[in-house]
Amino acid sequence: MDKTPPSGSHAGRGKCCGGLLAPDAQKILARLGLGLPKGILAGPQLFVVRAVDLQSRAERFYQRHYLNLDRRAFDDWLRSLVPPGVVLRLGCTFRRASRVEGGWSLIFSEGGTEFRERARLLVGADGAFSSVRRFLFPDAPSPRLYLAIQAWSAVPSAPPYFSAFFDPEITDFYAWTIPKDDRLLVGAALRPGRDAPARFAVFERKLRDWGIPASPVVKREGAYLYRPLHPGQICLGGEDVALWWARRRDGSAP
């Protein structure tokens, strides 16, 4: 498609995300017959993942076909595909839902104004602290909680691959770097706590030993994310409720 992504009334809202489109997501776009406008692509395009054990200093490279995107432009492009007859209410807060004949009655608010809509199917795709999930499935077991911290640094050049770093001194999950145009995204999924910023600083210091010097930070962002440790911690919804779930491999938060 040759549509130019619109600026969007919701363009000011940021999202802590690595902006890598994994092969499974690419397959979904292919099934829908969609091609990506070049304006949403970021450079470089990534075909290599570097996995690094910081303590043993072992590293391996393997092939992985990601698409490197401008996440905000990608979201705007997806919204541009919504048919004209569909009303978009962006930036609203979900309040509650109740069953009615034929589906659900939904109440959400924006700027002190409440809206009520009806739907046959309720989809909750609202992140780690999904209000839909908490409201409708309060007894569902929760996966382990992590705090994702990500810094955007200005760099003259960056390695053309997505790097995943493992080090128990920093986290029992993983950390990452992602090149994006003239920026380098440096992030880590950390156990929440007062020492999380200090552990992130340790990661940044260790990167310098791997030839990634400290660079001016353009912005910092963060978000909570869930890591399921066993299948019983994944709640997919019910008969007419679908909860979005994906275990991110690109270092981003849902």
Side-chain angles (χ1 to χ4, degrees):
M1 299 186 70
D2 194 27
K3 272 192 176 181
T4 301
S7 59
S9 60
H10 206 41
R13 182 178 179 181
K15 183 177 180 64
C16 181
C17 178
L20 299 182
L21 198 66
D24 288 344
Q26 297 172 36
K27 289 179 182 178
I28 296 298
L29 293 180
R31 290 175 188 170
L32 296 173
L34 297 175
L36 297 177
K38 65 179 181 180
I40 71 174
L41 297 177
Q45 290 307 308
L46 306 176
F47 305 101
V48 178
V49 174
R50 179 177 67 159
V52 179
D53 185 316
L54 290 175
Q55 288 195 336
S56 68
R57 300 191 67 83
E59 65 176 315
R60 293 292 185 271
F61 292 87
Y62 64 92
Q63 188 177 33
R64 180 76 170 170
H65 293 282
Y66 287 108
L67 287 177
N68 200 355
L69 304 174
D70 179 323
R71 174 58 194 263
R72 181 173 295 177
F74 180 64
D75 287 350
D76 287 340
W77 173 69
L78 289 177
R79 283 194 289 270
S80 76
L81 303 179
V82 176
V86 176
V87 176
L88 291 176
R89 299 194 188 279
L90 306 176
C92 294
T93 300
F94 170 81
R95 295 302 182 189
R96 56 191 180 276
S98 57
R99 287 191 179 275
V100 296
E101 184 177 355
W104 292 90
S105 174
L106 310 175
I107 297 178
F108 47 97
S109 64
E110 180 184 20
T113 302
E114 281 199 346
F115 302 94
R116 185 184 299 268
E117 299 288 350
R118 294 187 61 159
R120 181 180 60 82
L121 176 67
L122 176 56
V123 178
D126 46 346
F129 288 109
S130 169
S131 298
V132 176
R133 182 182 189 271
R134 294 200 313 271
F135 186 83
L136 296 178
F137 305 97
D139 298 325
S142 296
R144 178 174 290 177
L145 184 67
Y146 286 80
L147 171 65
I149 299 177
Q150 185 164 262
W152 292 60
S153 297
V155 293
S157 63
Y161 39 73
F162 162 42
S163 297
F165 296 90
F166 302 90
D167 187 338
E169 183 182 356
I170 300 167
T171 177
D172 60 352
F173 203 0
Y174 75 113
W176 59 88
T177 61
I178 301 171
K180 197 169 296 287
D181 294 331
D182 58 349
R183 301 286 188 264
L184 181 68
L185 279 61
V186 176
L190 309 161
R191 294 299 299 274
R194 292 184 178 180
D195 64 338
R199 283 182 281 130
F200 186 76
V202 170
F203 174 53
E204 291 180 301
R205 188 189 73 237
K206 289 190 175 188
L207 285 181
R208 293 196 285 273
D209 296 336
W210 285 79
I212 303 177
S215 301
V217 174
V218 177
K219 67 174 179 178
R220 291 184 184 269
E221 56 192 0
Y224 286 108
L225 60 89
Y226 276 137
R227 176 192 182 189
L229 301 181
H230 57 78
Q233 292 180 332
I234 300 176
C235 178
L236 299 178
E239 180 180 352
D240 52 1
V241 180
L243 295 181
W244 176 87
W245 179 266
R247 179 179 176 180
R248 298 282 179 97
R249 296 185 179 91
D250 63 358
S252 59

